Amino acid sequence: MNFSIIKDDNRAGVRACELETARSIIKTPVFMPVATRGAIRALSNLDIESIGFEIILSNTYHIFMRPGPDVILKAGGLHKFMNYEKSLLTDSGGFQVFSLSSLCKVKEDGVEFNSHLDGSRHFFTPEKVLDIQKIIGSDIMMVLDQCTGYPIEKKDAETAMETTISWAKKSKFHYDNTFDKDRQGCFAIIQGSFFNDLRRECAERLIELDFTGYAIGGLSVGEPKEIFRDITENLLPHLPKDKPRYMMGVGSPLEILFAVKHGVDMFDCVMPTRIARNGTLYTSTGRINIKSAKYETDFSPLDENCPCYVCKNFSRAYLRHIFKAGEITSLIYNTYHNLYFMKQFMDEIRESIIDGRFNEIERKWYDIYS
């Protein structure tokens, strides 16, 4: 796996890079659609291909629960199982373990939890989580971490941070001695909740372990936007410039712009697809609630500035009609458009960085989405 900086504005953190895996070259800043269970809801792989994504995200916890690693192993990995050829990043499942399962119990060597599907008891160690991702065939693997919610007492955040670092050390040792580093990269996850000193300490101690890349976890868990921005602004200067930086679970245009401005390279979030299924669509002039009665006889395109299949072929009135009628097609068209928007949005940001126009593009989108 290779990472190179194409354009770096030394006056600020903003940068355009390339991350090359064994399967594709990923131009950053990049948004990664979420295929939690090995599929992006309402879309086919052909749709994802036509939009132009070079990387998507799946989840170790959910793949482990269903269909299970034995099925994935027999299939020859998740790429073959879902017939997907480009790069695949898998989250460790730590967030899901702590947010979905009941009777979750953290131990020194891992975490014990109940399945959200059938209540069966399981135990994840840092090593086991990587072994599952080895079976999956992930191009980029995430280590097991302890994610905390908001709000939280500092002593509890510090305990979770220490657990995260301890598990990261075990993960790195296992990765160094068991994995083909040319085929699979491994990212550490920086925790510390909304405490800047804990975040900085966590980052510094993880950087010493020399992972392939570094992710910022534990944001977008209910904290005010001011805290998200404060953590982002204060943490990014402490991350190595020669490694990819991934902000987990962030997908709104303005939050992405703020994070890119401070040097984040990679993003993922279910929000663009989730709100699409609920009738909220991103456009070049702002958000549109396609359920609104004002679109009943609006025969203009969803977005006149968007060249996607949906905008070129269907009116707002038609999109409203099929949504109100409960047609599955509505979910497909809405999801396709929102992901197309995200791809074009990220491409425009990247081009503006390379051309030295980022501040101009930042102002444009802030005016539209503020």
Side-chain angles (χ1 to χ4, degrees), residues 67-80:
D70 290 344
V71 173
I72 299 299
L73 182 62
K74 289 177 182 177
L78 185 56
H79 286 87
K80 288 186 178 179

Side-chain angles (χ1 to χ4, degrees), residues 99-331:
S99 62
L100 292 179
S101 60
S102 59
L103 301 176
C104 179
K105 188 174 183 181
V106 177
K107 300 182 179 181
E108 184 178 343
D109 56 343
V111 57
E112 191 176 20
F113 61 96
N114 286 358
S115 165
H116 74 290
L117 295 176
D118 58 12
S120 57
R121 201 69 173 157
H122 300 276
F123 192 74
F124 272 2
T125 66
E127 297 87 353
K128 181 175 181 177
V129 164
L130 290 186
D131 288 340
I132 296 168
Q133 292 178 86
K134 187 174 186 178
I135 291 171
I136 289 172
S138 317
D139 298 282
I140 300 173
M141 307 180 294
M142 306 303 299
V143 301
L144 182 65
D145 65 319
Q146 184 174 358
C147 183
T148 58
Y150 175 87
I152 187 174
E153 294 293 329
K154 187 171 185 178
K155 61 180 177 60
D156 296 325
E158 187 171 10
T159 299
M161 180 199 74
E162 291 291 349
T163 299
T164 293
I165 294 170
S166 174
W167 289 351
K169 290 178 180 178
K170 294 178 180 180
S171 298
K172 188 57 164 57
F173 181 83
H174 189 54
Y175 174 67
D176 285 344
N177 290 279
T178 312
F179 288 75
D180 181 349
K181 295 183 180 180
D182 291 330
R183 299 292 305 179
Q184 294 185 287
C186 186
F187 283 23
I189 303 175
I190 300 164
Q191 292 291 354
S193 189
F194 55 94
F195 302 100
N196 278 314
D197 58 336
L198 295 184
R199 288 279 182 177
R200 190 161 54 250
E201 179 185 350
C202 189
E204 289 170 352
R205 291 167 67 183
L206 291 176
I207 289 167
E208 291 177 359
L209 300 174
D210 193 27
F211 280 89
T212 310
Y214 293 90
I216 303 161
L219 292 178
S220 293
V221 289
E223 79 281 0
K225 288 183 179 180
E226 293 76 20
I227 289 179
F228 160 79
R229 294 183 176 186
D230 181 56
I231 293 296
T232 301
E233 191 170 13
N234 283 283
L235 178 59
L236 265 296
H238 298 279
L239 300 188
K241 290 186 177 181
D242 61 342
K243 300 288 182 77
R245 303 157 172 174
Y246 165 29
M247 183 163 280
M248 307 177 76
V250 170
S252 73
L254 295 190
E255 287 178 345
I256 287 176
L257 279 168
F258 187 85
V260 165
K261 185 175 183 176
H262 291 87
V264 177
D265 306 303
M266 305 166 68
F267 302 88
D268 83 278
C269 192
V270 297
M271 189 177 70
T273 50
R274 179 176 288 167
I275 65 173
R277 297 193 301 272
N278 291 323
T280 300
L281 304 173
Y282 289 138
T283 75
S284 60
T285 57
R287 290 179 183 85
I288 283 181
N289 181 355
I290 204 65
K291 302 186 292 288
S292 175
K294 67 181 178 180
Y295 299 123
E296 185 175 8
T297 56
D298 185 344
F299 301 107
S300 62
L302 172 61
D303 185 347
E304 293 180 349
N305 299 315
C306 177
C308 85
Y309 171 79
V310 176
C311 292
K312 287 196 299 184
N313 287 281
F314 306 110
S315 68
R316 295 177 176 183
Y318 178 72
L319 294 173
R320 178 184 184 274
H321 159 65
I322 59 174
F323 184 90
K324 298 292 285 185
E327 294 291 343
I328 294 174
T329 313
S330 172
L331 308 183

